[in-house]
């Protein structure tokens, strides 16, 4: 659903240590390759402009091609408060749920309308949500539910919720919904592989005509960091599910016309998370000619620009390039579903989760997470973070929520399922790549571990997880 470019950086990353553990080798200095899931650089104004453009691209299609209510084309400022990463849409019921780490429902809405605690208890009880075993085991999506886990997905969440509201007005008492096929059609219309070339839909033509409105230039510190990694002998990869023509536009605008010099391997149309699948579901790599996919390759023999492919054949190439039987990979991404979970679960790569919510949460530094002396502190560590990302009043914190106690007992603070996924599948979590770009390559990060679900947040954990950490239920 997302037009974002994901990147993989193959190389060493600074080492991480969890509480009570020996310090690991530096993530950047000791790893052989660094991979990054390609996402456009975003600033608050660009994020907002992207949100409105993505929403409009879907809404225009639903209204003009599928006959939905024209009111969907108009957004009020308050509508944006509905958006919160980590929500799951129950497609047939038209309900959105925010899940606790044990799978129970913390908050819910029907369309955009919040359910009361009594309605939640009546609908879901205090038991595990019916699809939780499936969604949590594979951080997956299905025909029955959709996980919204990145900022490019959130406009679709708001639109789906407003579609439910609209259908309820037309059909009072509707119990089941079948609008999802139309949402899929809207996505395919705007983001199909030929859409960029054909100027199809709303999204690509607008970004092509006004890139400065939607994209932020890459900070010089990040470009310098990439060059340092290459100079240190690391192999750098860019892995994106976007097609090559759109990837080229993004990278030329964000990094510069010389962007290919920063990466040893570029993989477009990677179709993640399927890129990480094991046999027999692997897709072959294909060469490109004038942005058209060519013949399938039996193996990957040399660095370059490729389309589709799979992580297993890529890893064989990395063995060849590094001369090592077990080269170490660090992978950066901002989607738990497409990047972090599959890279860790299937490929056992080190993972760095880019989590913008760390910019929008006031934070405190506990002494035990200080992994390096002050002279080695990176960008943001000495400054109060500003908050370009708001916290939804309707859904509350991304990290935790409060559960009422039974029979007048005190309420309990519990972690959300999204928060649990971070410490389970990420090595570390950072607000932006710029936040670590000024650090030495041998910097040793504190990492998530079984003994600490907060140590891996850099530069420091979100405050929601700290003040009463002992009271946060860690199931």
């Amino acid at each position: 659903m997302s037009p974002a470019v994901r990147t993989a950086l193959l190389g060493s990353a600074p080492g991480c240590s969890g509480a009570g553990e020996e310090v690991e080798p530096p993530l950047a200095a000791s790893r052989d390759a660094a991979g990054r899931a390609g996402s456009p650089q975003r600033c608050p104004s660009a994020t907002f402009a992207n949100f409105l453009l993505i929403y409009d691209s879907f809404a225009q299609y639903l209204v003009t091609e599928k006959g939905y209510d024209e009111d969907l084309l108009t957004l009020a400022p308050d509508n944006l408060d509905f958006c919160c990463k980590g929500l799951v849409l129950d497609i047939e019921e038209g309900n959105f749920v925010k899940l606790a780490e044990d799978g129970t429902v913390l908050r819910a809405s029907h369309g955009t309308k919040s359910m009361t605690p009594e309605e939640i208890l009546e609908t879901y009880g205090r038991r595990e949500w019916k699809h939780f075993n499936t969604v949590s085991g594979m951080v997956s999506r299905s025909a029955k539910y959709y996980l919204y886990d990145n900022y490019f997905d959130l406009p679709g969440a708001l639109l789906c919720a407003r579609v439910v509201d609209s259908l309820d007005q037309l059909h009072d008492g509707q119990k089941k919904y079948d609008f999802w096929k139309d949402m899929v059609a809207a996505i395919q219309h705007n983001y199909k592989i030929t859409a960029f070339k054909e100027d199809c839909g709303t999204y690509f033509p607008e970004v092509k005509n006004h890139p400065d409105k939607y994209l932020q230039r890459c900070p010089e510190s990040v470009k310098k960091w990439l060059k340092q990694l290459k100079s240190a002998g690391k192999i750098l990869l860019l892995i994106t599910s976007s097609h090559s023509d759109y990837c080229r536009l993004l990278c030329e605008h964000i990094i510069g016309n010389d962007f290919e010099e920063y990466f040893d391997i570029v993989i477009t149309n990677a179709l993640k998370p399927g890129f990480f699948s094991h046999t027999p579901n692997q897709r072959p790599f294909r060469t490109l000619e004038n942005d058209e996919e060519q013949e399938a390759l039996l193996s990957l023999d040399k660095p370059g620009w490729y389309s589709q492919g799979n992580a297993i054949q890529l890893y064989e190439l990395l063995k060849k390039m590094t001369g090592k039987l077990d080269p170490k990979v660090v992978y950066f991404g901002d989607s738990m579903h497409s990047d972090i979970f599959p890279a860790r679960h299937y490929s056992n790569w080190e993972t760095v989760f880019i989590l913008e919510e760390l910019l929008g949460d006031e934070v405190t530094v506990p002494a035990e997470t200080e992994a390096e002396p002050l002279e080695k502190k990176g960008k943001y560590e000495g400054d109060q973070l500003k908050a370009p990302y708001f916290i939804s009043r309707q859904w509350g914190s991304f990290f935790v929520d409060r559960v009422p106690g039974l029979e007048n007992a005190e309420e309990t603070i519990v972690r959300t399922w999204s928060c649990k996924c971070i410490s389970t599948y990420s090595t570390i979590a950072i607000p932006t790549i710029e936040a670590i770009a000024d650090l030495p390559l041998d910097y040793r990060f504190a990492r998530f571990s079984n003994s600490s679900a907060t140590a891996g947040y850099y530069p420091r954990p979100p405050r929601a997880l700290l003040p009463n950490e002992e009271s946060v239920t860690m199931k």
Side-chain angles (χ1 to χ4, degrees), residues 187-237:
I187 295 164
Q188 292 175 339
H189 175 71
N190 280 279
Y191 301 132
K192 62 185 179 182
I193 197 168
T194 59
F196 185 92
K197 183 178 181 180
E198 297 172 353
D199 279 337
C200 181
T202 304
Y203 184 84
F204 287 132
E206 176 66 13
V207 174
K208 286 162 79 171
N209 290 329
H210 306 286
D212 282 319
K213 183 177 179 181
Y214 303 101
L215 305 173
Q216 180 188 10
R217 305 283 181 179
C218 180
E220 289 300 319
S221 61
V222 174
K223 294 164 72 171
K224 179 182 177 182
W225 178 70
L226 293 172
K227 291 178 179 178
Q228 288 176 332
L229 287 171
K230 287 200 75 172
S231 296
K234 310 307 170 187
I235 300 168
L236 271 64
L237 308 101

Side-chain angles (χ1 to χ4, degrees), residues 115-385:
M115 292 185 182
T116 65
E118 293 74 22
E119 289 172 330
I120 293 174
L121 196 60
E122 180 182 351
T123 304
Y124 299 107
R126 294 183 181 273
R127 61 186 179 276
E128 184 179 282
W129 182 57
K130 60 184 177 181
H131 299 304
F132 183 70
N133 188 53
T134 306
V135 70
S136 64
M138 303 297 289
V139 192
S140 63
R141 295 164 178 164
S142 80
K144 295 184 179 297
Y145 60 83
Y146 193 93
L147 166 64
Y148 291 92
D149 80 332
N150 64 78
Y151 281 104
F152 286 97
D153 275 352
L154 289 186
L158 176 58
L159 181 58
C160 285
R162 297 190 72 208
V163 164
V164 172
D165 293 346
S166 176
L167 292 174
D168 284 348
Q169 289 182 342
L170 292 173
H171 311 287
D172 187 32
Q174 182 167 342
K175 299 297 184 183
K176 299 294 181 183
Y177 299 83
D178 63 353
F179 63 86
W180 186 249
K181 64 181 186 300
D182 296 329
M183 279 297 298
V184 172
I187 295 164
Q188 292 175 339
H189 175 71
N190 280 279
Y191 301 132
K192 62 185 179 182
I193 197 168
T194 59
F196 185 92
K197 183 178 181 180
E198 297 172 353
D199 279 337
C200 181
T202 304
Y203 184 84
F204 287 132
E206 176 66 13
V207 174
K208 286 162 79 171
N209 290 329
H210 306 286
D212 282 319
K213 183 177 179 181
Y214 303 101
L215 305 173
Q216 180 188 10
R217 305 283 181 179
C218 180
E220 289 300 319
S221 61
V222 174
K223 294 164 72 171
K224 179 182 177 182
W225 178 70
L226 293 172
K227 291 178 179 178
Q228 288 176 332
L229 287 171
K230 287 200 75 172
S231 296
K234 310 307 170 187
I235 300 168
L236 271 64
L237 308 101
L238 174 67
I239 304 177
T240 172
S241 290
S242 296
H243 193 42
S244 56
D245 46 12
Y246 180 51
C247 174
R248 184 175 290 104
L249 169 74
L250 291 178
C251 290
E252 286 180 350
H253 189 84
I254 293 168
I255 299 177
N257 292 335
D258 62 343
F259 77 91
E260 290 186 62
E261 297 178 9
Y262 287 81
F263 300 98
D264 298 282
I265 301 170
V266 176
I267 300 170
T268 50
N269 196 27
L271 303 174
K272 296 176 298 176
F275 180 82
F276 297 97
S277 297
H278 290 177
T279 305
N281 299 314
Q282 297 169 2
R283 284 181 285 264
F285 281 97
R286 296 180 180 273
T287 57
L288 287 162
E289 188 173 318
N290 297 323
D291 292 318
E292 297 290 337
E293 292 183 345
Q294 304 300 306
E295 74 281 357
L297 302 175
L298 295 178
S299 63
L300 203 59
D301 298 322
K302 59 183 179 181
W305 190 320
Y306 299 96
S307 188
Q308 297 196 42
N310 61 85
I312 291 179
Q313 287 185 324
L314 171 62
Y315 196 65
E316 291 302 313
L317 175 60
L318 298 180
K319 291 179 182 180
K320 179 179 178 181
M321 293 176 68
T322 61
K324 296 182 178 180
L325 293 177
D326 185 27
K328 305 301 181 183
V329 183
V330 179
Y331 182 83
F332 294 68
D334 65 356
S335 169
M336 184 60 65
H337 165 73
S338 298
D339 296 319
I340 302 304
F341 172 79
R344 170 61 62 85
H345 181 75
Y346 293 110
S347 298
N348 198 31
W349 290 355
E350 300 273 19
T351 52
V352 178
F353 190 31
I354 300 174
L355 183 65
E356 290 100 330
E357 280 71 16
L358 292 177
L359 290 171
D361 200 313
E362 289 186 16
V363 289
T364 327
V365 187
E368 63 268 24
T369 65
E370 295 286 356
E372 289 283 357
L374 290 176
E375 61 268 18
K376 279 193 169 183
K377 293 303 172 190
K379 199 176 186 72
Y380 303 132
E381 289 195 66
D383 305 317
Q384 179 63 44
L385 301 183

